Amino acid sequence: MTKSILMTEEEKTKAMMEEEHKIIGGFMETAKTFTQISIGALVLSITFLEKILGQTEKIEVSFMLLLAWIFWILAALSGVFYQYRAIKWLEWLALDSKIIYEHNHVGDPVKVYPYQVYGFLLVCFLLGTLSFGIFGAIKIL
């Protein structure tokens, strides 16, 4: 006798939640990586000024360097916010699917999809890196 390939609604819901967990887990790992790289870039940009450009006195912060720092800070903050939103997203899916019960969970006043936050994280990281690249090229050339 062969097992029916038709899934019940409950089985479909559980399978969907498992896949959502896997996907969001991958995004969370890369968000952590981008957050760490952004923080590292902030620190290394200071080292770049001191060790590569030889600035020992008060550092003059150019517009491009300031932009890089702002974007890297935004990338780091949005990486942390993404992780929060991803968990709240999974919680909402579980509540909506009746896998978990609402009385155990607090409502979610911020209705921002985690994927929007992740996109913002990538844009900020790339703009920070681009700004620093332009800054470095101007200083070295």
Side-chain angles (χ1 to χ4, degrees):
M1 217 196 267
T2 59
K3 188 176 178 180
S4 174
I5 57 173
L6 296 176
M7 297 174 79
T8 65
E9 282 303 311
E10 184 178 337
E11 291 170 329
K12 285 180 189 177
T13 300
K14 286 183 179 181
M16 181 270 305
M17 286 298 296
E18 287 176 18
E19 288 304 309
E20 196 71 33
H21 274 271
K22 288 178 193 174
I23 292 167
I24 287 210
F27 278 105
M28 285 181 103
E29 285 302 312
T30 59
K32 287 178 193 176
T33 301
F34 278 113
T35 300
Q36 292 168 342
I37 292 172
S38 295
I39 292 168
L42 285 165
V43 172
L44 287 175
S45 64
I46 305 274
T47 303
F48 173 80
L49 292 172
E50 293 174 352
K51 303 292 183 196
I52 305 295
L53 299 180
Q55 290 188 339
T56 53
E57 67 279 347
K58 184 179 176 186
I59 296 172
E60 188 177 311
V61 178
S62 74
F63 177 71
M64 293 308 291
L65 182 58
L66 183 62
L67 268 181
W69 287 346
I70 289 169
F71 284 126
W72 282 331
I73 289 169
L74 287 173
L77 291 174
S78 61
V80 172
F81 186 58
Y82 169 77
Q83 292 179 49
Y84 168 77
R85 291 305 316 148
I87 296 299
K88 291 306 274 183
W89 174 254
L90 290 173
E91 179 186 54
W92 178 82
L93 287 176
L95 284 168
D96 191 51
S97 303
K98 308 279 190 265
I99 292 174
I100 60 175
Y101 299 104
E102 196 165 344
H103 69 275
N104 297 330
H105 300 273
V106 187
D108 188 10
V110 181
K111 300 295 181 198
V112 177
Y113 291 107
Y115 306 109
Q116 293 169 319
V117 178
Y118 190 85
F120 182 74
L121 159 69
L122 292 178
V123 168
C124 288
F125 180 79
L126 292 173
L127 288 175
T129 303
L130 180 64
S131 298
F132 187 70
I134 292 169
F135 165 76
I138 291 170
K139 287 292 185 180
I140 291 175
L141 300 177

